Amino acid sequence: MTGPVAAIVVAAGRGERAGGGMPKQYRPIAGEPMIRPTLRAFLDHPRIDLVQPVIGSADQDDYAAATAGLIRLQAPVAGGATRQASVRAGLEALAAAAPGLVLIHDAARPFLTPALIDRAIGAGRASGAAVPGVAIADTVKALDADGRVAETLDRNRLRVVQTPQVFAYDLIIAAHRRAAAAGLDSFTDDAALAEWAGHPVSVFDGEAGNIKVTTNEDFTRAELMHLANLSDVRTGNGFDVHAFVEGDHVMLGGVRIAHSRGVTGHSDADVALHALVDAILGALADGDIGSHFPPSDPQWKGASSDRFLAFACERVRQRRGAIAHLDVTVVCEAPRVSPHRDAMRERIAAIAGIAVERVGVKATTSEKLGFTGRSEGIVAMATATVRLPWRAA
Ligand code: CTP
Ligand code: MG
């Protein structure tokens, strides 16, 4: 089995059982269209050379939006009316690349792990046709036409079968072409088609977490599974001070507030955003605002601080994490912050890409004590709560 290792991700279904007004693979789980983490699992895997998506011909805009920024993807090909036809379209599209091995996977299974892909490749190389299977804990009964129990099956012989299913490319494309030529179009998985063509199919260990998102309830389950994966919860704090100077406004939390003084400092001197950036970087143990945006670098002079916050939030996303909460306290005698509190919360939430309910803004005076009390400067303190995948170091 020489030749590259390819993965086909079939995503041309309509998602009728899930409902929701759009094909389920484009509905978000944890803020990302479901197909995106599925594709990323293959793109990020060092042993996968080619990733071939198969999509509905009406879904091109949804697909483009869902895959923005992903690199190394083959151009998508149009699927067919059945899953079998969609897989065949993907196989035909790969013919020129002459893969040795091909993994065939449902876009609707976004929780596959690198270890599962490794097992699939190993089993595929060993047997030429293999599927992931999970043992059944419950007793399973077969029914008769009246819905009565006809038989209790021996569950030790049964497996629930998932994807990615893996095949020698030549074997599975030949089987697909034969089935299509014979007018058979309702095989629900590729193993059934390989069995029909007379090939023995082996089974390797699947994963209970590798669910196929099928119904609307599965979306709730998937959200919970995603959160359970993000169980490495971290808290960071940030602190910033800027001095008042002559001027007519201050920037606070991304909002311009008219004031009898201005603030001096690197960039636009938004203490609230600067403290939040340090809080997020602190939660990631990823340096501080000065190490990423040195004050000595002229390009940050007068820069709008929303860029710094967007950068810190992107660092969280690069770690596949999520921001659970941002909270900031501003200390000054004036200007009064409370009239601007909701505008600041909304602005911070918009920059961070989180719900406004996850942003707290508070303000206090320091009772005329100290430098804030004498209105020499303004202080902000912030806390960020960040969730990272458990595997993160
Ligand atoms: N699929 C496909 N082409 C089809 C039908 C299904 O590429 N004509 C894909 C789906 O997009 C999905 C996978 O096959 O990733 C498994 O199918 P299923 O879970 O049944 O998805 P849908 O067919 O979209 O859902 P439903 O059956 O509820 O309509
Ligand atoms: Mg279907």
Side-chain angles (χ1 to χ4, degrees), residues 9 14 67 111 114 135-136 139 154 162 236 265 274 302 308 362 370 374:
V9 173
R14 299 293 87 200
T67 56
F111 291 106
I136 298 172
T139 294
D154 175 7
Q162 311 177 328
H274 292 188
F308 305 154
K362 298 143 4 264
R374 294 188 297 272

Side-chain angles (χ1 to χ4, degrees), residues 337-353:
V337 172
S338 56
H340 306 282
R341 183 204 313 275
D342 285 334
M344 290 166 64
R345 291 175 63 219
E346 276 163 30
R347 184 75 193 113
I348 293 164
I351 300 165

